Amino acid sequence: MNRLEESIRQLQSWLDESDNVVFFGGAGVSTESGVPDFRSVDGLYHQKYSENPETILSHSYFMGNPGGFYRFYRDKMLPLWAQPNDAHKKLAELERAGKLRAVITQNIDGLHQKAGSREVLELHGSVLRNYCMDCGKFYGAEAVAAGEGLPRCSCGGLIKPDVVLYEEALDESVMYRAVDYIRRADVLIVGGTSLVVYPAAGLIRYYRGDRLVLINLQPTDYDRYANLTINAKIGEVFRQIRV
């Protein structure tokens, strides 16, 4: 038995023994669905644009140049074609089986819900929700994805994606619920995240248990705190988990 097989067997054992599992995931959870991440070799930060993606996806850029924002956003941030992969599906199964209490995600693609997960805490919002900045009316993703130029509400106001842009604060109520789930968890699985984006990355410091599992292709700065590290694709790992 190789190291990966041993690690998956250990994870399986902990899942079998627990009914209080919490999953905290990042962009790597969705890359196997074809959704690009930001910081990998092929990620958005390594692609060539006239301006840095982090600049384009900032509050000040959106307010000052909404046309430029939406050109990038429609091109790179609306993977409405994407389908859940094995990780999304297995997490939904674990929840239905009474094992998983919540999914806490940094992703904005809605794939966890599409896979069937119900208790999903979206730290950075969702591309599937959009609202008028004037009257507050909500719109689906299609209202933003369709056409060119600026998406406008029936009242004439500018429609903004319900996502947390750079320079914007995270929703305090979502953060509070995430902290509560993590603090109470028996098993905390952190997957597909390099744990460099704060304040979200700091959430795992609230974990009080002794079954912290980190699943990521590359090592992270938090590996030394983990009880189990698995350097593999998260879909490959969850594909081998029995519910």
Side-chain angles (χ1 to χ4, degrees), residues 8 21 49 53 67 84 100 103 112 141 144 162 188 195 218 239 242:
I8 293 175
V21 180
Y49 294 96
L100 185 76
V103 168
H112 284 293
V144 168
D162 190 18
L188 176 62
L195 293 171
Q218 304 298 326
R239 192 158 47 243
R242 304 181 311 276

Side-chain angles (χ1 to χ4, degrees), residues 45-211:
Y45 283 177
H46 294 274
Q47 298 179 23
K48 300 300 182 182
Y49 294 96
S50 59
E51 295 172 272
N52 189 304
E54 190 168 318
T55 298
I56 300 173
L57 296 174
S58 67
H59 176 81
S60 57
Y61 190 94
F62 175 82
M63 298 302 294
N65 186 6
F69 171 88
Y70 270 113
R71 281 192 294 273
F72 178 86
Y73 185 79
R74 289 188 176 110
D75 184 35
K76 294 296 181 182
M77 305 300 292
L78 282 175
L80 303 182
W81 42 263
Q83 296 299 317
N85 60 51
D86 289 325
H88 297 109
K89 294 174 183 176
K90 191 69 65 166
L91 288 165
E93 289 181 37
L94 287 165
E95 183 184 39
R96 288 193 296 270
K99 293 285 186 180
L100 185 76
R101 297 292 179 90
V103 168
I104 302 165
T105 181
Q106 296 174 287
N107 296 339
I108 59 176
D109 50 43
L111 289 179
H112 284 293
Q113 291 93 327
K114 186 178 286 189
S117 290
R118 302 183 66 179
E119 185 64 2
V120 181
L121 280 63
E122 296 171 315
L123 298 175
H124 297 153
S126 172
V127 300
L128 304 182
R129 298 188 303 270
N130 305 269
Y131 65 92
C132 173
M133 297 182 70
D134 288 348
C135 73
K137 181 179 179 181
F138 268 84
Y139 289 87
E142 294 74 17
V144 168
E148 299 178 356
L150 302 181
R152 293 287 182 181
C153 174
S154 55
C155 78
L158 178 64
I159 297 174
K160 180 184 183 296
D162 190 18
V163 300
V164 179
L165 301 177
Y166 290 101
E167 304 168 351
E168 295 180 342
L170 274 62
D171 186 306
E172 287 187 6
S173 64
V174 175
M175 285 288 286
Y176 179 84
R177 291 172 58 209
V179 168
D180 190 54
Y181 272 119
I182 289 173
R183 182 181 285 133
R184 296 171 180 267
D186 291 336
V187 179
L188 176 62
I189 304 173
V190 180
T193 173
S194 54
L195 293 171
V196 297
V197 177
Y198 285 82
L203 284 173
I204 69 171
R205 294 177 179 172
Y206 291 96
Y207 179 59
R208 296 292 180 261
D210 58 1
R211 295 182 176 184

